[in-house]
Amino acid sequence: MTADRVEARGPAHPRTRLDDNFSTPIRFSLMASLGEGIELDFATLAEILQASDSALSKAISHLQQAGYVTGRKGYVGTRPRTWVRSTAAGLSAFDGHLRALREIVELGGQRMP
């Protein structure tokens, strides 16, 4: 379908604004857990998300590469820890993703104008 044909049909469907970086349940849930100013350690995230260490590590790596989260390593006593925090870009992208989801639900089976 050409761009002219899509334009003639009206505005793009909100699904076109969904961010594929949030397409897995773990990545989506991870971003939902990391609201503004929230920093959580890896073990806490694994417990909250009920995710294996491997799956969570992959999700964090993916979101880090996208620039949506940052990781910080340190120690608590002698034990190594990793803390994760969302970035401003990540919060903005997640907010846009949520807005698109809400618009999709609101549209239901209606036709776009």
Side-chain angles (χ1 to χ4, degrees):
M1 187 175 290
T2 66
D4 292 337
R5 172 118 179 173
V6 172
E7 192 63 35
R9 297 173 108 185
H13 191 277
R15 74 173 161 65
T16 62
R17 294 193 314 276
L18 292 174
D19 189 324
D20 289 341
N21 289 299
F22 309 123
S23 65
T24 70
I26 292 177
R27 292 192 309 242
F28 182 89
S29 300
L30 174 60
M31 285 304 295
S33 299
L34 297 175
E36 189 170 352
I38 296 175
E39 181 178 66
L40 296 172
D41 68 273
F42 187 93
T44 300
L45 280 168
E47 184 178 328
I48 289 170
L49 302 178
Q50 300 176 349
S52 70
D53 288 356
S54 174
L56 180 56
S57 180
K58 287 178 187 175
I60 291 169
S61 292
H62 182 96
L63 292 171
Q64 279 180 314
Q65 289 175 351
Y68 289 174
V69 300
T70 59
R72 177 177 65 86
K73 295 189 182 287
Y75 288 87
V76 174
T78 59
R79 301 181 135 224
R81 293 282 191 263
T82 300
W83 290 270
V84 182
R85 170 186 294 268
S86 58
T87 64
L91 290 171
S92 177
F94 192 65
D95 184 54
H97 185 80
L98 291 176
R99 277 194 315 263
L101 286 171
R102 288 183 187 109
E103 287 177 38
I104 291 168
V105 171
E106 288 172 11
L107 277 173
Q110 299 174 28
R111 289 187 165 208
M112 298 274 303

